Amino acid sequence: MRHGLKRLCGAGALVLPLTVAAQQPVIEDLTEGNRGGGFYSQTATREEAGGSLVIFNQVQKHQEEIRQLRGQVEELRHQLEQLRRQTRQQYLDIEDRLMAAGSGVDQAAPPVDEQSAREVAEAPSPSGDDADTQQAYQAAFGHVQAREFGEAIAAFEAFVGQYPDSRLTANAYYWLGELHSAESNLEEGETAFRRVLEDFPQSSKVPDALYKLGLLEARRGRPEESRALLERVREEHPDSSAAGLADDFLRQTGN
């Protein structure tokens, strides 16, 4: 009996610790050293992921703002180009009306310069080749009268190359400016007109060349530069027909 009780007490001694151990709460290891990452490491990971999401959203927002700004810039560029075209066309329309009212000639082509025609017939050339010079100029001018612009440009370019110092050379450069302008070759037209001003400052074509340069600047959408040239015509050559045209042009354009 005693031996049986001892065995029972011995077994109870073994069972009790197991029962108590089973009833104790399980405490989770929250330290960083626990395998698989603990609470703090998981929290840090979530905070890092949340920060990355905020940065990503900010980048997306900035990219959208940049796209909107680019669209606004393109729209402004389009509006500016439209304004330039409208201004250029306004100047062209006014010039067409002024020239048509003054001469009654179809302005699809440069008007025929009667003074140049008289110079061809009457004025000798100081180069010594007066007959050849006048014949070459008259041939080039004949293409203008026939409105053969390409042939006229080629003929006048040949003329200024062959007769750079003749009395008619300034007129030839002036006509090159007119012809290139009629063909919308504005840079070539400007170069030819400026040759008249720079190489032949005493020529009777200087006021006309100044006036035409003012119109070229208007066609380019440069009203300030245009006004400066046209005012120069009025100030430096007040008695010329070009000064009257410049005055009319400035008045009708509100300058």
Side-chain angles (χ1 to χ4, degrees), residues 10-240:
L14 293 174
V15 171
L16 181 60
L18 292 175
T19 305
V20 173
Q23 292 177 352
Q24 290 179 348
V26 178
I27 299 176
E28 182 181 358
D29 187 1
L30 300 180
T31 62
E32 295 290 340
N34 189 35
R35 182 178 300 178
F39 172 79
Y40 296 108
S41 65
Q42 294 174 7
T43 302
T45 301
R46 285 194 294 271
E47 289 179 351
E48 181 179 355
S52 299
L53 181 60
V54 171
I55 294 174
F56 176 78
N57 290 335
Q58 290 177 346
V59 170
Q60 290 291 100
K61 181 179 179 182
H62 291 162
Q63 288 178 344
E64 179 62 26
E65 290 175 350
I66 291 172
R67 283 194 292 268
Q68 292 177 357
L69 289 174
R70 286 176 177 173
Q72 293 174 4
V73 169
E74 290 301 320
E75 179 64 21
L76 289 174
R77 285 178 179 173
H78 178 67
Q79 293 177 0
L80 178 60
E81 182 61 27
Q82 283 186 324
L83 180 60
R84 285 178 175 173
R85 290 176 182 174
Q86 291 172 359
T87 302
R88 189 181 302 119
Q89 189 59 46
Q90 178 188 19
Y91 280 112
L92 289 175
D93 292 343
I94 293 174
E95 166 62 2
D96 287 345
R97 290 198 299 270
L98 289 174
M99 295 297 292
S103 64
V105 178
D106 182 4
Q107 292 305 305
V112 175
D113 189 341
E114 297 299 333
Q115 181 181 355
S116 296
R118 286 196 299 273
E119 288 176 347
V120 172
E122 300 170 2
S125 171
S127 65
D129 311 355
D130 55 315
D132 293 340
T133 302
Q134 292 185 34
Q135 184 178 3
Y137 185 94
Q138 195 166 18
F141 194 77
H143 290 300
V144 177
Q145 292 174 310
R147 301 190 180 188
E148 299 168 346
F149 294 168
E151 293 82 348
I153 290 173
F156 277 120
E157 287 180 344
F159 180 89
V160 297
Q162 188 172 0
Y163 305 106
D165 301 318
S166 78
R167 183 176 175 179
L168 298 174
T169 304
N171 294 61
Y173 275 117
Y174 173 81
W175 276 107
L176 280 171
E178 284 274 29
L179 292 161
H180 280 302
S181 298
E183 296 288 275
S184 297
N185 302 324
L186 302 188
E187 290 186 5
E188 291 85 347
E190 179 184 0
T191 298
F193 286 134
R194 291 198 179 278
R195 289 296 297 270
V196 177
L197 304 182
E198 296 169 3
D199 296 351
F200 307 93
Q202 303 305 317
S203 170
S204 62
K205 304 305 295 180
V206 167
D208 296 320
L210 271 175
Y211 173 67
K212 292 297 183 178
L213 279 172
L215 299 187
L216 282 182
E217 292 298 337
R219 291 177 65 179
R220 289 173 169 173
R222 302 174 181 174
E224 296 296 328
E225 291 83 351
S226 174
R227 183 174 66 250
L229 287 164
L230 296 175
E231 288 178 347
R232 181 179 167 189
V233 177
R234 297 191 302 182
E235 294 171 0
E236 297 180 5
H237 309 279
D239 299 327
S240 66

